[in-house]
Amino acid sequence: RHSMGPNTTGPSRRGGVPSVLASLYQDVHYALRGLLRNPIYASAAIASLALGIGANTALFGVVNAVLLQPLPYTEPDRLAIVWNEFPTSGLERLPVSGVELKALRDRAGLFEDAAGIWATTRTVLGPDEPVTVPSGLVTPNFFSVLGVQPSLGRSFVAEEGGSVIPRGVIISDEFWRTHLGANPDVVGQRIPVEGTEIVVIGVLPAGFKVFFPSDGGIPARMDVYVPLMADLNQLPVAQHYLRVIGRLRAEVDMAVAQAQVAAVAQHVRETYSELAATGDEFTIVPLHADAVRAARPVLLALLAAVALFLLLASANVASLLLTRATARGHEMAVRTSIGASRRRVVQLLVVEGFVITVIGAVIGFWLGTMTAGLLWDMRPEGLSRVDSIHLDGAVLGYTAAVSALAAVLFGITPISQVSRLQPIRSLRLGSVFTTRGTTRTRKVITGAEVAVGFLLLIGAGLMIQTFSRLQRVDAGFNAENLLTFKTALALRRFPDDAERGLVAQDLENLVRDLPGVVSVGATSHLPFADWANWGSSAAPEGVTGDDREAFFADHRAISPAYFNAMEVTLSAGRSFNVHDSHSATPVVIIDRAYADRVFPNDEAVGQRLFASRFRNGDFENTWATVVGVIDDIRDRSPALSSAGQVFWPFAQSPRWELTYVVRTKADPRTIVAGVRDAVTALGRGLAVSDVRVMSDYVASATAQNRFVALLGGAFSTLAFVLAAVGLYSVVTYSTAQRTQELGLRIVMGATSSHILVDVLREGMAIGLLGILSGLTLAFGLTRLLGSLLYDVSPTDPTTFLSVSLVFLAITLIASFGPAYRATRVDPIASIR
């Protein structure tokens, strides 16, 4: 019994629980010895399992952090975001106006309270140089709606809204530590903000972020929060710029909430005729669900992919265990013959599978934690609003669950073979599982591996095609050798429009004179930036009154050299020039999308639009002549066409925020120091912030697709390798079992070519079975990827054909080695 390992006759009936535990201990010890004696088998099984469990652990860690963990607010499940829609213009996910926010508060009856926020920038005069920081203009109740209290000081009170000059500001913990030295007595301290000293009334908790969707125009981190300096009732009815968060009453569900906000929208349309033309509608969604809206399909698709990868890894381990059980057939027969029950033999295999599972799970969890950090570093914008991955009890429990599932999946096959154990036949033949049923089982497992690997490679191929096509999309500008930086011309420091325009032009001239600079321009809103843009109506002649609101477009203010610096194509008319001054006749340039929409049958140049511009610290509507039409610029995403853009000369619509674009002859990063020196030399208290190359913005816009393509490619490559190894092993095993048959055939006159073709045919049959099964699965399941694809069909023929040819090739290669060795069989030795 010692030479055979653990007790084969089972625990004594009198021994009870101690005897059972003793036998389990013996089985574990024996399993470990067996794995050490077979390092190749043990390494292959544990590595396959560890890869599958590690991939699932890593991705579930991300899913847990992003989709499952609640937002760090008080009762976050009651927070909802309200979006505006203009059905007549086909526009959705727009902000609301001040009067609409007030109506939602007063009439809906579903909110305990509702608040608004608008993202902008503020220039803070630091001890060394000015600093431009992201800032939030909020209604005074914003933090109380979120249920967040400052860690120092207090929050805003209702009386602080609507003031011409803010009485106080709330700052972020990072700003407090970085710029104010973490002074514990900061509350009550005055800081110079844009020419006015404002009192710090509070410091937010460390790590506080505003969790908005990535397309919401609200950065996750803002350093300075200022109360909205306007009465909601006094704001223009059609000025939509507030992002609204509401705290639902405890008894209200989403279906009821949607019905009630729809009723409020109808009331607003009936009350304010200028909103009737746009057909304003409100949509309400849970804040958390909307904040992860872009990330959810990505993460779920990847989680499904790694689940399939685990299935494939389990199949690979099952094939290995079946091979090992086959090799141990004589041993199992001896155990049964000398009195071991089938339950005892099954226990032996279960314990060995358990040992492999535990070792694989431990290594897999370690790999998962390491990989999770890498995934976090690669995360796209939609995931960046979460601070970190917490590998907590949920992740550990998930790892344990998938490990147990894997153990069941790979343990069923060898255990089921034990149930058909025939001791006498096995002792005579030396193997327990050398049957057609065993070979057929291995072939089915291998075919399933090929099918899963095929499906994963198809999905990865579609995502790689999507990313590749997005990379080739013409965004309407050239991002190469283009440096960008932001600055702010504060209204309080530069209240005069003309002066603001001159300061902007002076800075542009200074930067243009730097060595290596080709051209310089400026814009109020940069393509692909995460700041909310300014949108309003721009209606043609013949459209009057409230009907003008239906002609909604994005508005931007630019310097005359902006299109030249961005290398934007002017398809008709002219660009802006120095003659389009503050006092000159109002002019605009529109893009082709808006020209085709507003003037479908006429030449746009020379037409007039009744459009909104920023003038004397406020918005005004005026007639402007269209002097040019540019090719479309994709400003929100490479995958989204322009919704229509109207460009104003900066001199005629001087905004307070500016982003400069600097085209250079060589690497634009080499002029960063020169740019900062130029801003300092101007001596007007301006600050430089967010210095980036334009290609970074483009990369961020496609980061989600790159993330999916990279991970999908990695998982599918591993799956492809496992499928190839599985195919190779099953053909090798099957050929080894046919050694006597092949020897006899050679003796009887079979040529090497006949043997080669016969073995190749067996391997190709398995591969084709897997490929056909994979094709069937792929045609049904890839349609679920539709929302993640761009310009690629879920059943793209090129991808399907390419992957099919790749798998046919690898099937042929995996089968050729065993087939060639079969032709070299020594017939005499094989028969003996």
Side-chain angles (χ1 to χ4, degrees):
R1 192 168 62 238
H2 174 73
S3 62
M4 295 301 297
N7 186 351
T8 60
T9 59
S12 167
R13 292 183 181 180
R14 294 177 299 174
V17 173
S19 180
V20 171
L21 294 178
S23 70
L24 287 176
Y25 172 79
Q26 290 177 339
D27 288 351
V28 169
H29 181 70
Y30 184 71
L32 289 172
R33 286 173 52 198
L35 294 176
L36 290 174
R37 285 196 302 266
N38 296 273
I40 295 178
Y41 152 74
S43 299
I46 291 171
S48 295
L49 194 59
L51 286 173
I53 293 174
N56 276 268
T57 299
L59 206 55
F60 182 77
V62 179
V63 170
N64 181 54
V66 177
L67 302 185
L68 302 182
Q69 290 295 321
L71 297 178
Y73 305 135
T74 301
E75 297 184 273
D77 57 313
R78 292 170 54 196
L79 294 173
I81 186 170
V82 179
W83 290 109
N84 208 344
E85 296 182 2
F86 293 172
T88 57
S89 302
L91 300 175
E92 57 184 20
R93 297 181 64 79
L94 299 172
V96 305
S97 65
V99 294
E100 289 171 330
L101 170 55
K102 192 170 188 308
L104 286 166
R105 282 181 183 171
D106 298 342
R107 298 187 59 86
L110 72 161
F111 294 120
E112 287 185 356
D113 203 355
I117 181 173
W118 179 32
T120 182
T121 57
R122 285 286 186 272
T123 300
V124 180
L125 301 179
D128 300 321
E129 61 180 12
V131 180
T132 298
V133 296
S135 175
L137 267 64
V138 298
T139 53
N141 62 339
F142 181 75
F143 295 109
S144 64
V145 168
L146 294 181
V148 174
Q149 289 297 321
S151 57
L152 292 176
R154 64 172 178 84
S155 190
F156 297 123
V157 294
E159 293 74 20
E160 289 174 305
S163 302
V164 177
I165 298 177
R167 302 176 186 177
V169 295
I170 296 175
I171 59 176
S172 69
D173 181 84
E174 182 175 343
F175 182 84
W176 173 55
R177 296 180 185 279
T178 303
H179 297 285
L180 300 178
N183 179 9
D185 300 321
V186 69
V187 176
Q189 179 179 332
R190 293 180 176 272
I191 58 174
V193 179
E194 298 183 345
T196 302
E197 288 195 339
I198 304 178
V199 177
V200 176
I201 66 170
V203 179
L204 290 168
F208 172 80
K209 287 185 177 182
V210 180
F211 288 88
F212 257 74
S214 55
D215 64 347
I218 304 294
R221 184 186 65 83
M222 287 178 275
D223 287 325
V224 175
Y225 293 85
V226 181
L228 189 65
M229 295 172 290
D231 184 345
L232 296 179
N233 282 329
Q234 302 302 317
L235 294 172
V237 173
Q239 194 176 101
H240 299 85
Y241 66 97
L242 289 173
R243 275 66 180 170
V244 171
I245 295 178
R247 178 169 291 277
L248 295 170
R249 298 185 185 278
E251 67 278 5
V252 176
D253 61 26
M254 273 299 150
V256 173
Q258 182 57 57
Q260 293 190 19
V261 297
V264 174
Q266 181 177 354
H267 164 76
V268 169
R269 293 194 304 271
E270 293 171 351
T271 306
Y272 303 98
S273 57
E274 55 264 63
L275 297 180
T278 63
D280 278 28
E281 293 286 355
F282 294 149
T283 300
I284 185 169
V285 288
L287 177 61
H288 190 188
D290 206 42
V292 299
R293 181 178 63 95
R296 183 184 300 275
V298 174
L299 292 179
L300 293 182
L302 288 173
L303 193 62
V306 296
L308 289 174
F309 181 70
L310 178 65
L311 178 64
L312 193 152
S314 300
N316 210 39
V317 176
S319 182
L320 290 169
L321 286 177
L322 186 56
T323 301
R324 177 160 168 76
T326 301
R328 297 174 64 189
H330 188 79
E331 172 196 336
M332 298 299 177
V334 171
R335 291 180 183 279
T336 305
S337 298
I338 63 176
S341 65
R342 292 181 185 272
R343 183 195 63 78
R344 186 71 183 83
V345 174
V346 167
Q347 177 181 309
L348 195 63
L349 293 177
V350 168
V351 168
E352 183 170 311
F354 174 77
V355 170
I356 292 174
T357 300
V358 170
I359 297 174
V362 170
I363 297 175
F365 186 77
W366 176 78
L367 285 174
T369 57
M370 300 295 291
T371 306
L374 295 176
L375 294 185
W376 202 244
D377 292 338
M378 295 161 46
R379 69 191 185 277
E381 179 65 25
L383 305 186
S384 64
R385 296 169 187 272
V386 181
D387 283 325
S388 62
I389 300 175
H390 302 288
L391 296 174
D392 53 14
V395 180
L396 186 60
Y398 180 83
T399 302
V402 297
S403 301
L405 176 63
V408 171
L409 290 175
F410 68 67
I412 290 175
T413 301
I415 291 173
S416 66
Q417 295 296 332
V418 172
S419 65
R420 298 196 295 271
L421 189 67
Q422 300 178 27
I424 304 302
R425 183 174 182 272
S426 299
L427 287 172
R428 183 176 67 250
L429 298 179
S431 176
V432 63
F433 303 141
T434 309
T435 65
R436 288 189 176 183
T438 302
T439 303
R440 186 165 52 250
T441 300
R442 288 175 56 86
K443 290 179 179 179
V444 170
I445 291 174
T446 304
E449 287 187 71
V450 173
V452 172
F454 184 91
L455 177 61
L456 289 177
L457 202 58
I458 285 285
L462 293 174
M463 295 311 305
I464 292 171
Q465 283 250 62
T466 290
F467 178 65
S468 175
R469 297 192 183 190
L470 284 174
Q471 291 291 94
R472 298 196 300 268
V473 166
D474 182 7
F477 59 88
N478 180 12
E480 297 302 317
N481 289 343
L482 202 61
L483 183 76
T484 72
F485 67 92
K486 293 179 181 177
T487 190
L489 303 171
L491 295 182
R492 295 191 189 90
R493 300 192 68 246
F494 305 101
D496 182 70
D497 285 356
E499 182 188 10
R500 200 178 317 127
L502 290 174
V503 171
Q505 188 61 50
D506 288 344
L507 178 55
E508 187 173 307
N509 293 337
L510 286 172
V511 175
R512 185 181 294 109
D513 292 337
L514 294 174
V517 172
V518 176
S519 56
V520 183
T523 178
S524 58
H525 297 82
L526 195 67
F528 303 150
D530 60 355
W531 292 92
N533 192 26
W534 156 39
S536 184
S537 64
E541 291 184 291
V543 179
T544 60
D546 299 334
D547 293 336
R548 290 171 175 163
E549 296 300 324
F551 292 87
F552 191 89
D554 282 337
H555 287 56
R556 284 172 169 78
I558 63 172
S559 71
Y562 173 71
F563 289 145
N564 182 47
M566 293 286 285
E567 295 186 2
V568 172
T569 301
L570 186 70
S571 59
R574 67 171 177 87
S575 189
F576 297 136
N577 56 47
V578 294
H579 300 294
D580 300 316
S581 63
H582 183 265
S583 58
T585 301
V587 293
V588 293
I589 293 174
I590 60 177
D591 68 354
R592 177 56 60 188
Y594 202 63
D596 292 342
R597 175 179 155 198
V598 180
F599 309 109
N601 302 315
D602 299 306
E603 177 64 40
V605 175
Q607 303 280 358
R608 293 205 306 164
L609 292 174
F610 192 70
S612 177
R613 64 175 176 174
F614 195 74
R615 196 80 160 181
N616 300 320
D618 203 352
F619 292 95
E620 69 170 22
N621 292 321
T622 187
W623 286 102
T625 302
V626 178
V627 297
V629 178
I630 63 166
D631 287 352
D632 292 340
I633 297 176
R634 300 200 175 205
D635 61 312
R636 294 171 292 169
S637 164
L640 297 175
S641 300
S642 170
Q645 299 180 67
V646 175
F647 297 87
W648 284 93
F650 185 79
Q652 295 184 2
S653 182
R655 302 298 300 271
W656 62 91
E657 295 171 334
L658 268 181
T659 299
Y660 284 84
V661 292
V662 186
R663 186 164 298 282
T664 60
K665 296 177 182 178
D667 185 354
R669 297 175 183 86
T670 59
I671 67 164
V672 172
V675 166
R676 295 188 183 279
D677 291 341
V679 174
T680 302
L682 188 62
R684 302 302 297 268
L686 300 183
V688 173
S689 66
D690 208 6
V691 181
R692 300 170 62 184
V693 292
M694 189 65 207
S695 55
D696 283 352
Y697 285 100
V698 177
S700 295
T702 58
Q704 174 174 297
N705 304 93
R706 181 173 62 252
F707 183 73
V708 178
L710 183 61
L711 291 189
F715 291 138
S716 63
T717 299
L718 288 173
F720 177 74
V721 171
L722 286 179
V725 170
L727 186 62
Y728 174 82
S729 65
V730 76
V731 176
T732 300
Y733 169 81
S734 178
T735 304
Q737 298 304 313
R738 296 175 60 192
T739 300
Q740 284 189 330
E741 172 202 335
L742 295 175
L744 287 172
R745 290 179 61 186
I746 292 173
V747 169
M748 296 175 66
T751 65
S752 296
S753 60
H754 286 115
I755 300 296
L756 181 70
V757 169
D758 186 40
V759 177
L760 283 176
R761 186 188 299 117
E762 182 179 13
M764 294 300 293
I766 299 171
L768 286 172
L769 173 65
I771 291 171
L772 291 175
S773 301
L775 277 170
T776 303
L777 290 172
F779 272 112
L781 296 180
T782 53
R783 301 178 191 278
L784 301 177
L785 297 176
S787 63
L788 302 178
L789 303 179
Y790 171 75
D791 199 28
V792 179
S793 167
T795 56
D796 177 57
T798 302
T799 304
F800 275 68
L801 179 60
S802 300
V803 174
S804 298
L805 292 176
V806 167
F807 264 86
L808 282 174
I810 199 63
T811 299
L812 182 61
I813 294 170
S815 304
F816 184 80
Y820 177 75
R821 286 195 298 274
T823 65
R824 315 303 294 176
V825 167
D826 181 351
I828 303 303
S830 66
I831 293 173
R832 181 182 299 114

